[in-house]
Coordinates of all heavy atoms in Angstrom, one line a residue:
G10 N 0.8 -1.2 0.0 CA 0.0 0.0 0.0 C 0.8 1.3 0.0 O 0.3 2.4 0.1
K11 N 2.2 1.1 -0.1 CA 3.0 2.3 -0.1 C 4.0 2.2 -1.3 O 4.4 1.1 -1.6 CB 3.8 2.4 1.2 CG 2.9 2.7 2.4 CD 3.7 2.7 3.7 CE 4.0 1.2 4.1 NZ 4.5 1.2 5.5
V12 N 4.3 3.3 -2.0 CA 5.1 3.3 -3.2 C 6.6 3.1 -2.9 O 7.1 3.4 -1.8 CB 4.9 4.6 -4.0 CG1 3.5 4.7 -4.6 CG2 5.4 5.8 -3.2
E13 N 7.2 2.4 -3.8 CA 8.7 2.3 -3.8 C 9.1 3.4 -4.8 O 8.4 3.7 -5.8 CB 9.2 1.0 -4.3 CG 9.2 -0.1 -3.1 CD 7.8 -0.5 -2.7 OE1 6.9 -0.7 -3.5 OE2 7.6 -0.4 -1.4
I14 N 10.3 4.0 -4.5 CA 10.7 5.2 -5.3 C 12.2 5.0 -5.8 O 13.1 4.6 -5.1 CB 10.7 6.4 -4.4 CG1 9.2 6.6 -4.0 CG2 11.2 7.7 -5.2 CD1 9.1 7.7 -2.8
A15 N 12.3 5.4 -7.1 CA 13.7 5.4 -7.7 C 13.8 6.8 -8.4 O 12.8 7.4 -8.8 CB 13.9 4.3 -8.7
V16 N 15.0 7.2 -8.5 CA 15.3 8.6 -9.1 C 16.5 8.5 -10.0 O 17.4 7.7 -9.8 CB 15.4 9.7 -8.0 CG1 14.2 9.8 -7.2 CG2 16.6 9.4 -7.1
G17 N 16.5 9.5 -10.9 CA 17.7 9.7 -11.8 C 18.3 11.0 -11.5 O 17.5 12.0 -11.3
A18 N 19.6 11.1 -11.6 CA 20.3 12.4 -11.2 C 21.5 12.6 -12.0 O 21.7 11.9 -13.1 CB 20.6 12.4 -9.7
Q19 N 22.4 13.5 -11.6 CA 23.6 13.9 -12.3 C 23.3 14.2 -13.8 O 23.9 13.7 -14.7 CB 24.6 12.8 -12.3 CG 26.1 13.2 -12.6 CD 26.8 14.1 -11.6 OE1 26.1 14.9 -11.0 NE2 28.1 14.0 -11.6
W20 N 22.3 15.1 -14.0 CA 21.8 15.5 -15.3 C 22.8 16.4 -16.0 O 23.0 17.5 -15.6 CB 20.4 16.1 -15.2 CG 19.9 16.6 -16.5 CD1 19.5 17.9 -16.7 CD2 19.7 15.9 -17.7 NE1 19.0 18.0 -18.0 CE2 19.0 16.8 -18.6 CE3 19.9 14.6 -18.1 CZ2 18.8 16.4 -19.9 CZ3 19.6 14.2 -19.3 CH2 19.0 15.1 -20.3
N21 N 23.5 15.8 -17.0 CA 24.6 16.5 -17.7 C 24.5 16.1 -19.1 O 25.4 15.3 -19.6 CB 25.9 16.2 -17.0 CG 27.1 17.0 -17.6 OD1 26.8 17.9 -18.5 ND2 28.3 16.7 -17.2
P22 N 23.6 16.5 -19.9 CA 23.3 16.0 -21.3 C 24.5 16.3 -22.2 O 24.6 15.6 -23.3 CB 22.0 16.7 -21.7 CG 22.0 18.0 -20.9 CD 22.6 17.6 -19.6
G23 N 25.3 17.2 -21.9 CA 26.5 17.5 -22.8 C 27.6 16.6 -22.6 O 28.5 16.6 -23.5
E24 N 27.7 15.7 -21.5 CA 28.7 14.8 -21.3 C 28.2 13.4 -21.6 O 27.4 12.8 -20.9 CB 29.1 14.9 -19.9 CG 30.2 13.9 -19.4 CD 31.4 13.9 -20.3 OE1 32.1 15.0 -20.2 OE2 31.6 13.0 -21.0
T25 N 28.7 12.8 -22.7 CA 28.3 11.5 -23.1 C 29.4 10.3 -22.9 O 29.2 9.2 -23.4 CB 27.8 11.5 -24.5 OG1 28.9 11.8 -25.4 CG2 26.7 12.5 -24.7
N26 N 30.5 10.7 -22.4 CA 31.6 9.8 -22.2 C 31.9 9.4 -20.7 O 32.1 8.2 -20.5 CB 32.9 10.3 -22.9 CG 32.8 10.3 -24.3 OD1 32.9 9.3 -25.0 ND2 32.7 11.5 -24.9
N27 N 31.9 10.3 -19.9 CA 32.3 10.2 -18.5 C 31.2 9.8 -17.6 O 30.3 10.6 -17.3 CB 33.0 11.5 -18.0 CG 33.7 11.3 -16.7 OD1 33.3 10.5 -15.8 ND2 34.9 11.9 -16.6
L28 N 31.1 8.5 -17.1 CA 30.1 8.1 -16.3 C 30.1 8.7 -14.9 O 29.0 8.6 -14.2 CB 30.2 6.5 -16.2 CG 29.8 5.7 -17.4 CD1 30.2 4.2 -17.3 CD2 28.3 5.8 -17.6
E29 N 31.2 9.2 -14.4 CA 31.2 9.9 -13.2 C 30.6 11.3 -13.2 O 30.0 11.7 -12.3 CB 32.7 10.0 -12.6 CG 33.3 8.7 -12.3 CD 34.6 8.9 -11.7 OE1 35.1 10.0 -11.5 OE2 35.3 7.9 -11.4
K30 N 30.6 11.9 -14.4 CA 30.1 13.2 -14.5 C 28.7 13.3 -15.2 O 28.1 14.4 -15.2 CB 31.1 14.1 -15.4 CG 32.4 14.3 -14.8 CD 33.4 15.2 -15.6 CE 34.7 15.4 -15.0 NZ 35.6 16.3 -15.8
S31 N 28.2 12.2 -15.6 CA 27.0 12.2 -16.4 C 26.1 11.0 -16.0 O 26.6 9.8 -16.3 CB 27.2 12.3 -17.8 OG 25.9 12.3 -18.5
G32 N 24.9 11.1 -15.5 CA 24.1 10.0 -15.1 C 24.2 9.4 -13.8 O 25.3 9.3 -13.4
A33 N 23.1 9.1 -13.2 CA 23.1 8.4 -11.9 C 21.7 7.8 -11.7 O 20.6 8.5 -12.1 CB 23.4 9.3 -10.8
V34 N 21.6 6.7 -11.1 CA 20.3 6.0 -10.8 C 20.4 5.6 -9.3 O 21.4 5.0 -8.9 CB 20.0 4.8 -11.6 CG1 18.8 4.1 -11.2 CG2 20.0 5.2 -13.1
F35 N 19.4 5.9 -8.6 CA 19.2 5.5 -7.2 C 17.9 4.9 -6.9 O 16.8 5.4 -7.3 CB 19.4 6.8 -6.2 CG 20.7 7.5 -6.4 CD1 20.9 8.6 -7.2 CD2 21.8 7.1 -5.6 CE1 22.1 9.2 -7.3 CE2 23.0 7.8 -5.6 CZ 23.1 8.8 -6.5
Y36 N 17.9 3.8 -6.1 CA 16.7 3.4 -5.4 C 16.8 4.0 -4.0 O 17.7 4.0 -3.4 CB 16.7 1.9 -5.3 CG 15.6 1.4 -4.4 CD1 14.3 1.4 -4.8 CD2 15.8 0.9 -3.1 CE1 13.2 0.9 -4.0 CE2 14.8 0.5 -2.3 CZ 13.5 0.5 -2.8 OH 12.5 0.0 -2.0
L37 N 15.6 4.6 -3.6 CA 15.5 5.2 -2.3 C 14.9 4.3 -1.3 O 13.7 3.9 -1.4 CB 14.7 6.5 -2.4 CG 15.2 7.6 -3.3 CD1 14.4 8.8 -3.2 CD2 16.7 7.9 -3.0
D38 N 15.7 3.9 -0.3 CA 15.2 2.9 0.7 C 14.5 3.7 1.8 O 15.1 4.6 2.5 CB 16.5 2.2 1.3 CG 16.1 0.9 2.1 OD1 15.0 0.4 1.9 OD2 16.9 0.5 3.0
A39 N 13.3 3.3 2.1 CA 12.4 4.1 2.9 C 12.7 3.8 4.4 O 12.9 2.7 4.8 CB 10.9 3.8 2.6
P40 N 12.7 4.9 5.2 CA 12.8 4.7 6.6 C 11.5 4.4 7.2 O 10.4 4.5 6.5 CB 13.3 6.2 7.1 CG 12.6 7.0 6.1 CD 12.7 6.3 4.8
K41 N 11.4 4.0 8.5 CA 10.1 3.7 9.2 C 9.3 4.9 9.1 O 8.0 4.8 8.8 CB 10.4 3.2 10.6 CG 9.1 2.8 11.3 CD 9.4 2.2 12.7 CE 8.1 1.7 13.3 NZ 8.4 1.2 14.7
D42 N 9.8 6.1 9.3 CA 9.0 7.4 9.3 C 9.3 7.9 7.9 O 10.4 8.5 7.7 CB 9.4 8.3 10.4 CG 8.7 9.6 10.3 OD1 7.9 9.8 9.4 OD2 9.0 10.5 11.2
R43 N 8.4 7.8 7.0 CA 8.6 8.2 5.6 C 8.6 9.7 5.4 O 8.8 10.1 4.3 CB 7.5 7.5 4.7 CG 7.8 6.0 4.6 CD 6.8 5.5 3.6 NE 7.3 4.1 3.2 CZ 7.2 3.6 2.0 NH1 6.7 4.3 1.0 NH2 7.7 2.4 1.7
T44 N 8.4 10.5 6.4 CA 8.6 12.0 6.4 C 10.1 12.3 6.5 O 10.4 13.5 6.3 CB 7.8 12.7 7.4 OG1 8.3 12.4 8.7 CG2 6.3 12.3 7.3
Q45 N 10.9 11.4 6.9 CA 12.3 11.6 7.1 C 13.1 11.4 5.8 O 12.6 10.9 4.8 CB 12.9 10.8 8.3 CG 12.2 11.0 9.6 CD 12.2 12.4 10.0 OE1 13.3 13.0 10.1 NE2 11.1 13.1 10.2
L46 N 14.4 11.6 5.8 CA 15.2 11.4 4.6 C 15.3 9.9 4.3 O 15.5 9.1 5.2 CB 16.7 11.9 4.8 CG 16.8 13.4 4.7 CD1 18.3 13.8 5.0 CD2 16.5 13.9 3.3
W47 N 15.3 9.5 3.0 CA 15.4 8.1 2.6 C 16.8 7.8 2.2 O 17.5 8.7 1.8 CB 14.4 7.8 1.4 CG 13.0 8.0 1.8 CD1 12.4 8.9 2.6 CD2 11.9 7.3 1.1 NE1 11.0 8.7 2.6 CE2 10.7 7.7 1.7 CE3 11.9 6.3 0.2 CZ2 9.5 7.2 1.4 CZ3 10.6 5.8 -0.2 CH2 9.4 6.2 0.4
K48 N 17.2 6.6 2.4 CA 18.6 6.2 2.1 C 18.8 5.9 0.6 O 18.2 5.0 0.0 CB 19.0 5.0 2.9 CG 20.4 4.5 2.6 CD 20.8 3.3 3.4 CE 22.2 2.8 3.2 NZ 22.5 1.6 4.0
P49 N 19.6 6.6 -0.1 CA 19.9 6.3 -1.6 C 20.8 5.1 -1.8 O 21.9 5.0 -1.2 CB 20.5 7.6 -2.0 CG 21.2 8.2 -0.8 CD 20.4 7.8 0.4
I50 N 20.3 4.2 -2.6 CA 21.1 3.0 -3.0 C 21.5 3.2 -4.4 O 20.7 3.2 -5.3 CB 20.3 1.7 -2.8 CG1 19.6 1.6 -1.4 CG2 21.1 0.5 -3.2 CD1 20.6 1.5 -0.3
K51 N 22.8 3.3 -4.7 CA 23.2 3.6 -6.0 C 23.2 2.4 -6.9 O 23.8 1.3 -6.5 CB 24.6 4.3 -6.0 CG 25.0 4.9 -7.3 CD 26.3 5.8 -7.1 CE 26.6 6.5 -8.5 NZ 27.8 7.4 -8.4
L52 N 22.7 2.5 -8.1 CA 22.6 1.4 -9.0 C 23.4 1.7 -10.3 O 23.9 2.8 -10.4 CB 21.1 1.2 -9.5 CG 20.0 1.1 -8.4 CD1 18.7 0.8 -9.0 CD2 20.4 0.0 -7.4
Y53 N 23.5 0.7 -11.1 CA 24.3 0.9 -12.4 C 23.6 2.1 -13.2 O 22.4 2.3 -13.1 CB 24.2 -0.4 -13.2 CG 24.8 -0.2 -14.6 CD1 26.1 -0.2 -14.9 CD2 23.9 0.1 -15.7 CE1 26.6 0.0 -16.2 CE2 24.4 0.3 -17.0 CZ 25.7 0.3 -17.2 OH 26.2 0.5 -18.5
H54 N 24.4 2.7 -14.0 CA 23.9 3.8 -14.8 C 24.6 3.9 -16.2 O 25.7 3.5 -16.3 CB 23.7 5.1 -14.1 CG 25.1 5.8 -13.9 ND1 25.9 5.5 -12.9 CD2 25.8 6.6 -14.7 CE1 27.0 6.2 -13.0 NE2 27.0 6.9 -14.1
E55 N 23.9 4.5 -17.1 CA 24.5 4.9 -18.4 C 24.7 6.4 -18.3 O 24.2 7.1 -17.3 CB 23.6 4.6 -19.6 CG 23.4 3.1 -19.8 CD 24.5 2.5 -20.7 OE1 24.4 2.6 -21.9 OE2 25.3 1.8 -20.1
V56 N 25.3 7.1 -19.3 CA 25.4 8.5 -19.3 C 24.0 9.1 -19.6 O 23.1 8.4 -20.2 CB 26.4 9.0 -20.3 CG1 27.8 8.6 -19.9 CG2 26.1 8.5 -21.8

């Protein structure tokens, strides 16, 4: 009854070679109290 959340970040459309500087994917691990900060779990990403 509660959503799971993933996000994309490191938005740098002009950089298509460097994976550190362009692109990121995170699954957000929910705390018991969902009004608090969630823990980002970094996943594989493309640029």
Side-chain angles (χ1 to χ4, degrees):
K11 294 174 283 191
V12 294
E13 280 65 49
I14 301 170
V16 298
Q19 195 71 327
W20 177 234
N21 186 4
E24 176 55 69
T25 64
N26 287 289
N27 192 322
L28 286 168
E29 293 184 2
K30 295 182 178 180
S31 180
V34 177
F35 297 92
Y36 171 74
L37 299 184
D38 195 24
K41 185 175 182 180
D42 179 357
R43 289 186 163 219
T44 66
Q45 303 301 303
L46 286 175
W47 296 33
K48 180 181 178 181
I50 308 296
K51 193 168 186 177
L52 310 184
Y53 171 83
H54 71 274
E55 296 272 283
V56 293

